[in-house]
Amino acid sequence: MADESTQSIVIDAPPEQILAVIADFESYPDWANGVKRTEVLDSREDGRAAQVKFNIDQGPIKDEYVLAYEWSAEGVSWTLVKGNMQKSQQGSYLLEASGGSTKVTYTLSVQLVVPMIGLFRRKAEKMIMDTALKELKRRVEHAG
């Protein structure tokens, strides 16, 4: 069973603005550390991505994988369709508006094909979480 990690951050923007940045997969290589290339493989009727292919290179982690996305007013969740280094991945961004800010809670569970020593896995998780939240916050608050 894969371990699940959760972290939260408050972003000074409404949920719609944050979801727009999350949904703009083509821009990920510009701001998401380690993401080298993205390609939307399939879209929903509303224009949001249904499946996205990622190429990442983040130190010891190099992978190409496809995620399937489910969108809602509260956020977005995803699951791994296929990957080279991952057996499974499930994640979500849950957005809770509060005044002019939004609390963003990121949850991620990844199971690799090759087991990773605990110390390395925790370091990789921290890098992924930091990217997912801090870089998202920076991108949203300094965009436009």
Side-chain angles (χ1 to χ4, degrees):
M1 187 69 194
D3 293 331
E4 186 176 278
S5 298
T6 300
Q7 280 186 6
S8 297
I9 198 166
V10 174
I11 298 178
D12 294 326
E16 307 79 46
Q17 188 178 340
I18 297 165
L19 274 177
V21 170
I22 293 169
D24 183 11
F25 292 103
E26 289 85 1
S27 294
Y28 276 41
D30 297 338
W31 65 270
N33 186 27
V35 176
K36 298 302 176 198
R37 209 164 54 89
T38 57
E39 180 185 353
V40 175
L41 301 177
D42 189 25
S43 296
R44 302 177 345 158
E45 286 182 17
D46 66 3
R48 287 233 164 109
Q51 285 197 2
V52 181
K53 179 176 167 182
F54 291 85
N55 289 82
I56 62 164
D57 184 348
Q58 200 167 33
I61 310 291
K62 290 176 178 54
D63 199 6
E64 179 177 289
Y65 56 93
V66 176
L67 299 178
Y69 286 86
E70 292 290 328
W71 300 88
S72 71
E74 294 81 36
V76 59
S77 61
W78 60 87
T79 55
L80 181 73
V81 175
K82 64 180 179 181
N84 296 331
M85 290 189 62
Q86 302 174 62
K87 269 199 266 191
S88 70
Q89 181 183 140
Q90 290 184 309
S92 65
Y93 283 107
L94 178 65
L95 284 62
E96 300 171 70
S98 176
S101 299
T102 303
K103 179 182 176 187
V104 180
T105 301
Y106 179 68
T107 302
L108 183 67
S109 170
V110 175
Q111 190 173 17
L112 299 176
V113 173
V114 177
M116 194 181 272
I117 297 168
L119 176 69
F120 291 116
R121 187 177 52 75
R122 284 187 293 279
K123 185 176 180 188
E125 276 177 5
K126 183 179 182 337
M127 285 184 351
I128 291 166
M129 290 282 182
D130 284 352
T131 296
L133 291 172
K134 291 178 184 159
E135 293 186 19
L136 174 65
K137 177 180 172 77
R138 191 175 311 126
R139 177 74 174 191
V140 170
E141 291 180 354
H142 296 102

